[in-house]
Amino acid sequence: VRETLTPKLIEELADGRLDTAIVALPVSEPSLVEVALFSEHFLLVRPGEDEGKPVPSSKMLRTMRLLLLEEGHCFRDQALSFCNMQSPPREVLDASSLSTLVQMVGAGIGVTLIPEMAVTVETRSATVSVARFRNPQPSRTIGMVWRKTSPLAGQLQQISEVVCLAADALREQRKAIPPSRK
């Protein structure tokens, strides 16, 4: 098990160095099978003193100092897409991890978006406010990919079904996250 950028994972799948990968979909690689596992929302992380303030729209986010993962991370592109920005404005600051982004927010440097699955772990040691966006909420689909020619296709399909069941159970638990949390 390892983590790296999506293009690297796809390269390693194509080369046969990996059997499967869990990535944001779509990958749109003709040689791969894509199976959607679950969808997750993006949440807004802002300084703790912003607790209770109205949640900005995607248009308003474009005027704020937005902290993003560095280039090459698909989540960066997804956040920019939600904000309807082709490229980040000059005042965008980059980081190499979600943890660093959240710590920067806690220091009052700006705001960021993080995937819902990362909220509990990434915000536990920072004084930040976490809020959901109004509908339609930004989201992404996470899926499992493998080579169409893989001899493990049957087993990988079974694994994807187990992950889907586990994701459904977690989704029910996450519904308990309040709209805004410090």
Side-chain angles (χ1 to χ4, degrees), residues 30-88:
S31 65
L32 299 179
V33 173
E34 294 183 16
V35 176
L37 300 173
F38 59 91
S39 291
E40 67 173 341
H41 293 112
F42 304 159
L43 301 180
L44 175 66
V45 180
R46 53 192 174 170
E49 59 266 14
D50 288 355
E51 180 76 29
K53 288 184 179 178
V55 176
S57 66
S58 61
K59 185 177 180 179
M60 290 171 62
L61 279 176
R62 287 182 281 196
T63 66
M64 302 171 83
R65 180 175 284 152
L66 188 58
L67 309 176
L68 296 171
L69 290 173
E70 61 193 5
E71 280 200 46
H73 289 269
C74 63
F75 189 71
R76 173 192 178 92
D77 298 334
Q78 294 159 353
L80 287 171
S81 176
F82 170 66
C83 296
N84 216 5
M85 294 190 288
Q86 298 302 318
S87 60

